[in-house]
Amino acid sequence: MLRRSLENRDAQTRQLQDAVTNVEKHFGELCQIFAAYVRKTARLRDKADLLVNEINGYASTETPNLKQGLKNFADEFAKLQDYRQAEVERLEAKVVEPLKAYGTIVKMKRAETELQRATMDATRTTRHLEETIDNFEKQKIKDIKTIFSEFITIEMLFHGKALEVYTAAYQNIQKIDEEEDLEVFRNSLYPPDYTSRLDIVRANSKSPLQRSLSAKCVSGTGQLSTCRLRKEQQANDDDEDEELDVTEEEN
């Protein structure tokens, strides 16, 4: 009877130790990977902040509609990083820390097992080991459900907000009036006084020879006109003289 009790106790002790070792191994791995996930998310937030700054800087150099659209996009994207920061903090508190705490729990359970074996008789030890194993498994399952439920809830909350923000950001980009901005750009290339200034440049660009020829053409035209008038006046005078001569002869 005693031998059987000792065998049962040893079997239960090994079972508990195996369970504790298994949890220690896998919970440790989960803790490290979740912690890396949180760090990656935090780095993504930092890169997004840099992107927001660059978009704002570029927007300030652009045409009005594009400028406003990009700034509105940057505002929405910055808002998303606030939600991402909340995601990081919640994951750290609700997922990483509870998993990290299992390192302490595992050590306590292992010490408790050794203590029971050393201080109790076989029958009492077997009963306490059964309770310990049962409580450990029950707590482990409960904790796993809680941790993973928190992870899913936190991620769903973030991605739900992200969908809202990205929808608004998309609409801001689509509202950019391409034709109006193109007109503004074209007007910036040809200011209102462009034509008058161009005429002045063209006038000033004529060579001295071209200006001299133009002046001579004008002068020559005037001289020809004067000569033509003189000839016409002389012809009229001659006609009048002839008419006078004919009249005198008739008389």
Side-chain angles (χ1 to χ4, degrees):
M1 184 68 179
L2 179 59
R3 183 177 180 180
R4 184 177 300 173
S5 296
L6 290 173
E7 289 176 353
N8 289 338
R9 183 194 65 183
D10 292 340
Q12 288 177 339
T13 301
R14 284 193 299 271
Q15 184 180 359
L16 179 58
Q17 288 175 341
D18 290 343
V20 168
T21 301
N22 187 62
V23 168
E24 183 179 32
K25 175 185 175 183
H26 290 290
F27 274 49
E29 290 293 333
L30 287 171
C31 182
Q32 290 181 11
I33 295 172
F34 271 121
Y37 180 93
V38 174
R39 290 194 298 271
K40 291 282 187 180
T41 304
R43 282 199 289 270
L44 181 60
R45 174 208 59 208
D46 294 340
K47 292 297 182 182
D49 288 339
L50 293 176
L51 183 57
V52 167
N53 291 335
E54 178 58 30
I55 291 173
N56 277 321
Y58 168 57
S60 64
T61 68
E62 273 296 347
T63 46
N65 276 279
L66 184 56
K67 175 181 180 179
Q68 191 60 48
L70 288 173
K71 282 189 172 295
N72 289 340
F73 173 86
D75 289 343
E76 294 295 337
F77 202 55
K79 186 190 302 181
L80 181 61
Q81 305 322 307
D82 294 336
Y83 292 129
R84 202 184 298 277
Q85 175 61 28
E87 176 196 17
V88 168
E89 293 174 357
R90 289 168 182 164
L91 287 173
E92 186 69 33
K94 301 293 186 178
V95 177
V96 176
E97 287 300 323
L99 285 171
K100 191 183 297 183
Y102 254 82
T104 303
I105 294 174
V106 164
K107 292 177 181 179
M108 290 177 60
K109 290 298 179 183
R110 185 172 285 123
E112 184 180 346
T113 302
E114 295 298 328
L115 182 62
Q116 287 177 355
R117 289 186 62 187
T119 59
M120 297 181 183
D121 58 56
T123 303
R124 293 179 61 190
T125 300
T126 301
R127 186 171 64 252
H128 279 280
L129 283 172
E130 288 175 354
E131 292 176 358
T132 301
I133 292 171
D134 185 75
N135 291 336
F136 181 75
E137 286 296 314
K138 183 179 179 180
Q139 188 64 43
K140 178 192 72 177
I141 295 170
K142 181 180 178 181
D143 289 340
I144 288 175
K145 288 179 64 177
T146 300
I147 291 169
F148 279 83
S149 295
E150 290 287 355
F151 174 76
I152 294 168
T153 301
I154 292 167
E155 291 297 286
M156 287 178 63
L157 179 62
F158 170 74
H159 288 290
K161 291 294 185 181
L163 182 59
E164 294 178 9
V165 172
Y166 279 130
T167 300
Y170 178 83
Q171 291 172 346
N172 284 322
I173 292 298
Q174 293 304 309
K175 288 178 182 177
I176 296 173
D177 191 326
E178 302 168 39
E179 293 300 324
E180 185 175 335
D181 268 17
L182 186 58
E183 187 64 26
V184 171
F185 176 74
R186 287 169 177 167
N187 290 338
S188 70
L189 294 178
Y190 305 104
D193 62 340
Y194 176 77
T195 303
S196 60
R197 285 192 288 121
L198 183 60
D199 292 339
I200 294 171
V201 170
R202 286 174 177 171
N204 292 335
S205 65
K206 288 185 177 180
S207 66
L209 178 60
Q210 288 174 323
R211 287 196 293 271
S212 175
L213 289 174
S214 297
K216 286 181 180 180
C217 288
V218 173
S219 175
T221 301
Q223 291 175 357
L224 288 173
S225 298
T226 303
C227 291
R228 190 180 296 112
L229 289 172
R230 286 176 180 174
K231 287 180 180 181
E232 290 175 355
Q233 184 64 40
Q234 185 176 358
N236 291 334
D237 293 341
D238 292 341
D239 290 340
E240 290 177 357
D241 292 339
E242 290 178 359
E243 289 178 358
L244 290 172
D245 292 340
V246 171
T247 301
E248 291 176 353
E249 289 177 358
E250 289 178 354
N251 293 332

